Amino acid sequence: LTICAERAAVCAAVAAGERTIVAVAIATDLDEPARPCGACRQVLAEFGIGMQVALVGRGGVRVDTTLARLLPDPFTFADVFRGQQ
């Protein structure tokens, strides 16, 4: 895998001290708005599966969705610690 713009943005935000991401917008020059790759979906899921996602294509074509729709059954850090008290 390479580092996509979405993961680069998350890394930059975390490096700058951000710990919460509630929404993301992905804009491309494609006619049909592009969706984030699987690796990016997984990284975004660490910040909340209910995250709002705006996908924007050429000419302002926009699709509003949620990360839960794009990644219906994510693995998160909470899964690692589930059951450990």
Side-chain angles (χ1 to χ4, degrees), residues 30-61:
L30 302 173
D31 290 330
E32 176 71 21
R35 276 99 177 118
C37 75
C40 289
R41 293 175 196 203
Q42 184 61 48
V43 167
L44 291 169
E46 296 300 337
F47 296 91
I49 197 66
M51 181 182 300
Q52 296 297 307
V53 179
L55 306 169
V56 183
R58 185 183 318 215
V61 175

